[in-house]
Amino acid sequence: NSVRGLDNTLRIGVDTVVELDRQGGQLNRVDERLDDIDANLVQSRRHLRQIRSVFGGIVNWFTTDKSVLTETPASDSSRKTMDDSRRLREQVDSRRADDRERRAQSTHASGRSMQSQSQSAYSREIDDNVGLMSANLSRLTDLALDMNGELAKQNQQIERMSGRVEKLDGEVQHLNRVTRKI
């Protein structure tokens, strides 16, 4: 029962890591979109400056256009995230298969041993199960550390984006006020 419970917990942990990776990809795409919004605001500022006055048009003529909008292809980070998730699932599945094989071998071996020495077979089966539980707990520890690292990285990304969103919101409000005055 304990081995089965740990297997189930390991599966849930892997699913959680995969979901965190997916959310990390979404955060990367949001960050890229914030770059696009910033470039659009620069372009809007230039247009409004030109509309407001002739002098603004002259200023635009002599300033460089910093908002070269480029299409970004599918994000490398989202592809990497998907590859990492797939690789993690494959590793866990192969480890589970190895654990099942070892368990089946130990059960088969213990079945033969019980006919001759029931006590020693029972001890070996317990030892095998303890070994499997130890391996699963080690994997769960690794998953927990991976989750912690991913969460810390995503929290930093969210904090950085939060400041950018506030800055962009202020710029949008300023441009709206300028537009209303025109």
Side-chain angles (χ1 to χ4, degrees), residues 46 49-50 54-65:
R46 288 178 56 84
R49 190 170 43 215
Q50 186 171 2
V54 173
F55 181 70
I58 294 171
V59 169
N60 283 345
W61 179 267
F62 289 107
T63 58
T64 60
D65 187 9

Side-chain angles (χ1 to χ4, degrees), residues 9-42:
T9 304
L10 186 62
R11 183 183 49 76
I12 291 169
V14 168
D15 291 344
T16 304
V17 167
V18 168
E19 180 63 20
L20 282 173
D21 285 343
R22 187 188 66 75
Q23 290 175 359
Q26 285 180 330
L27 285 173
N28 290 336
R29 287 187 296 280
V30 167
D31 199 21
E32 291 168 3
R33 288 186 183 122
L34 284 174
D35 291 338
D36 293 343
I37 291 170
D38 191 29
N40 288 336
L41 286 174
V42 168

Side-chain angles (χ1 to χ4, degrees), residues 44-53 56-57 59-60 63:
S44 297
R45 204 174 311 118
R46 288 178 56 84
H47 290 306
L48 285 173
R49 190 170 43 215
Q50 186 171 2
I51 291 171
R52 283 176 75 185
S53 70
V59 169
N60 283 345
T63 58

Side-chain angles (χ1 to χ4, degrees), residues 50-118:
Q50 186 171 2
I51 291 171
R52 283 176 75 185
S53 70
V54 173
F55 181 70
I58 294 171
V59 169
N60 283 345
W61 179 267
F62 289 107
T63 58
T64 60
D65 187 9
K66 297 177 185 173
S67 65
V68 177
L69 298 178
T70 58
E71 290 283 327
T72 54
S75 167
D76 289 337
S77 60
S78 62
R79 264 183 268 156
K80 180 183 176 283
T81 298
M82 293 174 78
D83 290 342
D84 289 346
S85 299
R86 190 175 305 118
R87 203 172 314 116
L88 181 63
R89 278 189 186 273
E90 289 170 359
Q91 286 176 353
V92 169
D93 289 341
S94 83
R95 286 178 181 167
R96 276 193 199 147
D98 292 345
D99 289 346
R100 282 190 209 113
E101 186 177 319
R102 271 189 254 133
R103 206 176 309 137
Q105 288 174 354
S106 71
T107 302
H108 182 66
S110 67
R112 281 186 278 132
S113 298
M114 284 199 177
Q115 294 172 354
S116 60
Q117 298 175 342
S118 62

